[in-house]
mmCIF file of all heavy atoms in Angstrom:
data_model
loop_
_atom_site.group_PDB
_atom_site.id
_atom_site.type_symbol
_atom_site.label_atom_id
_atom_site.label_comp_id
_atom_site.label_asym_id
_atom_site.label_seq_id
_atom_site.Cartn_x
_atom_site.Cartn_y
_atom_site.Cartn_z
ATOM 1 N N SER A 38 6.435 57.043 0.776
ATOM 2 C CA SER A 38 7.081 55.871 1.353
ATOM 3 C C SER A 38 8.605 56.006 1.228
ATOM 4 O O SER A 38 9.112 56.431 0.195
ATOM 5 C CB SER A 38 6.570 54.644 0.593
ATOM 6 O OG SER A 38 7.161 53.506 1.127
ATOM 7 N N GLY A 39 9.298 55.680 2.302
ATOM 8 C CA GLY A 39 10.775 55.707 2.274
ATOM 9 C C GLY A 39 11.376 57.069 2.576
ATOM 10 O O GLY A 39 12.596 57.231 2.526
ATOM 11 N N GLY A 41 11.536 58.582 5.403
ATOM 12 C CA GLY A 41 12.170 58.659 6.718
ATOM 13 C C GLY A 41 11.215 58.845 7.884
ATOM 14 O O GLY A 41 11.652 59.066 9.018
ATOM 15 N N LYS A 42 9.919 58.717 7.644
ATOM 16 C CA LYS A 42 8.920 58.961 8.692
ATOM 17 C C LYS A 42 9.086 58.016 9.878
ATOM 18 O O LYS A 42 9.126 58.444 11.034
ATOM 19 C CB LYS A 42 7.490 58.803 8.128
ATOM 20 C CG LYS A 42 7.181 59.671 6.944
ATOM 21 C CD LYS A 42 5.765 59.458 6.440
ATOM 22 C CE LYS A 42 5.471 58.052 5.903
ATOM 23 N NZ LYS A 42 6.183 57.712 4.665
ATOM 24 N N SER A 43 9.154 56.713 9.583
ATOM 25 C CA SER A 43 9.235 55.733 10.673
ATOM 26 C C SER A 43 10.539 55.884 11.438
ATOM 27 O O SER A 43 10.572 55.771 12.665
ATOM 28 C CB SER A 43 9.116 54.305 10.131
ATOM 29 O OG SER A 43 7.834 54.101 9.605
ATOM 30 N N THR A 44 11.617 56.137 10.710
ATOM 31 C CA THR A 44 12.910 56.326 11.365
ATOM 32 C C THR A 44 12.824 57.470 12.362
ATOM 33 O O THR A 44 13.274 57.353 13.511
ATOM 34 C CB THR A 44 13.999 56.611 10.306
ATOM 35 O OG1 THR A 44 13.999 55.539 9.363
ATOM 36 C CG2 THR A 44 15.361 56.758 10.941
ATOM 37 N N GLN A 82 1.270 50.117 12.736
ATOM 38 C CA GLN A 82 0.297 49.643 11.754
ATOM 39 C C GLN A 82 -0.206 48.243 12.119
ATOM 40 O O GLN A 82 -1.378 47.928 11.972
ATOM 41 C CB GLN A 82 0.998 49.627 10.397
ATOM 42 C CG GLN A 82 0.155 49.171 9.256
ATOM 43 C CD GLN A 82 0.912 49.350 7.947
ATOM 44 O OE1 GLN A 82 1.920 50.041 7.868
ATOM 45 N NE2 GLN A 82 0.413 48.713 6.914
ATOM 46 N N ASP A 158 2.430 55.290 14.218
ATOM 47 C CA ASP A 158 3.042 55.082 12.905
ATOM 48 C C ASP A 158 2.045 54.396 11.983
ATOM 49 O O ASP A 158 1.825 53.196 12.093
ATOM 50 C CB ASP A 158 4.321 54.236 13.048
ATOM 51 C CG ASP A 158 5.128 54.217 11.760
ATOM 52 O OD1 ASP A 158 4.618 54.692 10.726
ATOM 53 O OD2 ASP A 158 6.282 53.728 11.789
ATOM 54 N N GLU A 159 1.429 55.157 11.110
ATOM 55 C CA GLU A 159 0.446 54.647 10.144
ATOM 56 C C GLU A 159 -0.575 53.726 10.810
ATOM 57 O O GLU A 159 -0.816 52.621 10.327
ATOM 58 C CB GLU A 159 1.159 53.880 9.021
ATOM 59 C CG GLU A 159 2.358 54.620 8.460
ATOM 60 C CD GLU A 159 2.207 55.019 7.001
ATOM 61 O OE1 GLU A 159 1.094 54.886 6.469
ATOM 62 O OE2 GLU A 159 3.190 55.478 6.434
ATOM 63 N N VAL A 190 2.482 59.599 12.239
ATOM 64 C CA VAL A 190 3.153 59.403 10.958
ATOM 65 C C VAL A 190 2.186 58.797 9.954
ATOM 66 O O VAL A 190 1.476 57.846 10.270
ATOM 67 C CB VAL A 190 4.368 58.463 11.156
ATOM 68 C CG1 VAL A 190 4.737 57.770 9.855
ATOM 69 C CG2 VAL A 190 5.556 59.239 11.694
HETATM 70 MG MG1 MG B 402 7.179 53.786 7.674
#
Side-chain angles (χ1 to χ4, degrees):
S38 180
K42 304 180 296 292
S43 294
T44 304
Q82 180 174 345
D158 191 350
E159 313 244 10
V190 156

